[in-house]
Amino acid sequence: PKTQEPKFDGTPCPVQSETRTCSPQACNADCELGDWSEWGDCGKPCNTGHRQRTMPVKTEARGTGTCSGEKAEFEQCNKHTC
């Protein structure tokens, strides 16, 4: 801090200080997941294939935060015989 003594019989300035939060976000936070995507194409035209959909991570985890939960689902498709 800079200080300057008063001159010419002036009155000293009052002590001034200011405190501000410099990091409004928490240091640790879990990730935030988005919405499920549409189902992808089936891997086979018949005799049971598989397809998947995913849930993207919108915001990565910070610090010791975690990112748990399913981020991909799989299901059978085109179960009919060729």
Side-chain angles (χ1 to χ4, degrees):
K2 291 184 178 183
T3 58
Q4 184 174 347
E5 296 299 319
K7 297 181 180 178
F8 312 109
D9 294 325
T11 306
C13 294
V15 176
Q16 295 180 351
S17 67
E18 180 180 343
T19 303
R20 291 189 296 170
T21 302
C22 61
S23 181
Q25 294 181 338
C27 293
N28 300 317
D30 290 343
C31 74
E32 183 180 346
L33 298 174
D35 295 327
W36 285 108
S37 68
E38 296 295 318
W39 285 102
D41 293 334
C42 193
K44 294 171 89 176
C46 52
N47 289 338
T48 308
H50 293 88
R51 64 183 186 166
Q52 80 172 41
R53 65 180 182 166
T54 58
M55 182 179 286
V57 176
K58 285 174 54 175
T59 306
E60 294 291 335
R62 291 190 312 270
T64 59
T66 61
C67 197
S68 58
E70 294 296 322
K71 295 174 200 63
E73 285 187 337
F74 301 88
E75 73 175 6
Q76 293 181 342
C77 52
N78 296 337
K79 298 177 186 179
H80 59 278
T81 304
C82 292

